[in-house]
Amino acid sequence: MKEVLTVATAPAVRHPDTGRSARTQFVTLQVLAVTPAARDTITLALALPGTGRSPGTYLPGQFITLAFPGSNTTYYRSYSLCGDGQSDQPWEITVKRQNAGIVSSYIYSHVRPGMVLQASMPQGRFTLPSTLAPRQVLVFVAAGSGITPIFSMLRAIRRLPLKRRPRVLLHYAYHNAADAIYSVELAGLDPERRWLTQWHYVTTNGHRLGVEHLLATVGESAKAAEWYVCGTASLKRCLESALPRHGIPAAHIHSEVFASPTSTRAADPSAQAPGYIRLVDSGAMLETRPGETLLESLERYGYRPDFNCRSGACGTCRLRLLSGRVQNGYGAGLTPEERAAGYVLSCVASPVGEIALAGAGRRVAAYSDTSDNRVSLRRANSRRKLRLGLVAATLGLFATAWGFTNHFPANQANASPADTTSPSSPGFFSTPAGGSNNSSSGQSSPGSIFGQPSQGGPNTSTGVS
């Protein structure tokens, strides 16, 4: 059956009181204008209904996530804001129609002024340095629609007094002239080249981005410059690998990848089998469906963890993996420190077998009452009870055998009862401080439960364009 999207009126995307943080709350926006930006590409102006104003400020380079309810599911797609960050202006996003793209094709073909959309508040850490200086050098490298967050940064820089603007070098690659997004606007940013120098690479003309050429244009400032890369995953990997070999510190390289949620799905067959999620916060055991992500499983069972891009880029959905293994959970939305601490991206990760998670929160919605879900929940609970029963039976047999055995050397056979330990005495099966000796119980001591981490995170890959 053909999937149907509806946005003519406010979508029935429900995020009630969900227990989610403000990072995941959605607001209603009205489309004020739709203007062409390039071939198969349009720019939408969005504002609070009836006001002409945006819901608030944002940092140039950040993105929002749109929610589109279909007949079978809700689609989430993230788009970079391309304005200069002023709160008295509508938000602007630019959408390029993708081949076989359900949402981008719908937006391009059907969204018109007056319609309303559901959008998240701005997120992302792919932003300008907190302070800018005239002698500072910024290098922007963009491919295709990766120009959108960079265009936002360029517009913000142009608002600064000329003497305060940093030196900016823009390298922009696209297929052919018709695909150049913001070509007119880019040309008008600094015609005199007082602060902005541009290089455009047209694939059909045989132009190619090269690391050596990039470095040559920056010269001696390359190691001190801040590098911003937005485009395909291959472009990101190439520059993040090559630039450090030329002395550019990794901390100076900021990147963002545009991708759809379907492109980040796990391909490992081991992740396509049912799995089990043990939530240490509540002790619940959930059974996942083949190919289902952690986030999808949690939502199906009535939990509402934070999320935003749903494509593994922004890091909002990160949860802590305490045991077990996941497939495809370590995307660019995590810092090296977060990976080392055990965090995974729940919107793209799938469990391999049984895992334990912390930070999923409490159930705030009714469990989806389908027969399949009821069977899954009963099976998961039955398996858990069976494991507990086996553990208890094993301990009982061990205790019984102990009772019929003399465990003491002959010279201690007459020792006082106070000097011995029996199966019924408190210290026999000792539990380490702050822990549990029953890993299958679904319970954990307070010291092993970790809450949602703070919002501080990486400079790399914070959304999709």
Side-chain angles (χ1 to χ4, degrees), residues 137-298:
V137 177
L138 305 181
V139 183
F140 293 136
V141 183
S145 58
I147 190 65
T148 52
I150 289 174
F151 183 58
S152 176
M153 298 182 200
L154 291 171
R155 292 178 68 177
I157 293 172
R158 187 180 60 174
R159 290 182 55 231
L160 297 173
L162 181 60
K163 293 183 178 180
R164 290 182 51 199
R165 297 175 195 171
R167 178 190 172 206
V168 180
L169 309 178
L170 171 63
H171 296 265
Y172 180 27
Y174 41 87
H175 185 64
N176 61 38
D179 297 314
I181 301 175
Y182 313 132
S183 58
V184 174
E185 293 84 351
L186 288 171
L189 283 175
D190 183 23
E192 296 83 12
R193 298 187 180 182
R194 292 175 295 179
W195 59 276
L196 172 63
T197 306
Q198 303 185 42
W199 289 265
H200 289 230
Y201 306 82
V202 186
T203 303
T204 53
N205 292 345
H207 302 158
R208 293 290 186 274
L209 267 171
V211 175
E212 297 298 336
H213 174 66
L214 289 176
L215 292 168
T217 62
V218 186
E220 296 180 354
S221 302
K223 295 181 181 180
E226 297 291 333
W227 294 72
Y228 289 82
V229 181
C230 188
T232 62
S234 59
L235 174 66
K236 174 183 181 292
R237 287 193 301 267
C238 175
L239 292 182
E240 286 186 340
S241 173
L243 293 178
R245 293 200 299 266
H246 290 82
I248 288 97
H252 287 198
I253 304 171
H254 318 278
S255 59
E256 180 166 277
V257 173
F258 51 82
S260 67
T262 54
S263 68
T264 59
R265 292 287 178 154
D268 190 331
S270 63
Q272 302 304 312
Y276 301 93
I277 304 172
R278 179 166 59 87
L279 304 178
V280 298
D281 305 67
S282 63
M285 179 74 79
L286 314 180
E287 181 176 2
T288 68
R289 293 170 176 170
E292 192 174 52
T293 66
L294 303 181
L295 178 59
E296 290 167 344
S297 297
L298 290 167

Side-chain angles (χ1 to χ4, degrees), residues 290-356:
E292 192 174 52
T293 66
L294 303 181
L295 178 59
E296 290 167 344
S297 297
L298 290 167
E299 290 178 331
R300 182 164 56 86
Y301 281 95
Y303 293 83
R304 293 295 181 264
D306 285 336
F307 72 88
N308 204 305
C309 73
R310 298 183 81 98
S311 63
C314 71
T316 303
C317 69
R318 60 191 179 274
L319 298 175
R320 193 161 190 175
L321 180 68
L322 298 183
S323 66
R325 184 170 68 89
V326 299
Q327 172 68 23
N328 202 40
Y330 304 98
L334 295 175
T335 65
E337 293 77 15
E338 287 169 336
R339 294 188 189 192
Y343 287 102
V344 296
L345 298 172
S346 65
C347 70
V348 292
S350 296
V352 179
E354 182 177 323
I355 66 171

Side-chain angles (χ1 to χ4, degrees), residues 7-10 29-32 46 106 110-117:
V7 293
T9 58
L29 298 177
Q30 187 173 34
V31 180
L32 298 185
L46 307 172
Y106 182 85
H110 298 288
V111 170
R112 297 291 181 267
M115 290 183 172
V116 294
L117 307 175

Side-chain angles (χ1 to χ4, degrees), residues 33 78 103 120 128 135-136 151 153 204 212 268 273 298 304-305 310 389 411 418 424 432 444:
S78 298
V103 173
S120 71
L128 291 168
R135 294 185 179 181
Q136 194 171 11
F151 183 58
M153 298 182 200
T204 53
E212 297 298 336
D268 190 331
L298 290 167
R304 293 295 181 264
R310 298 183 81 98
N411 62 352
S424 59
S444 179

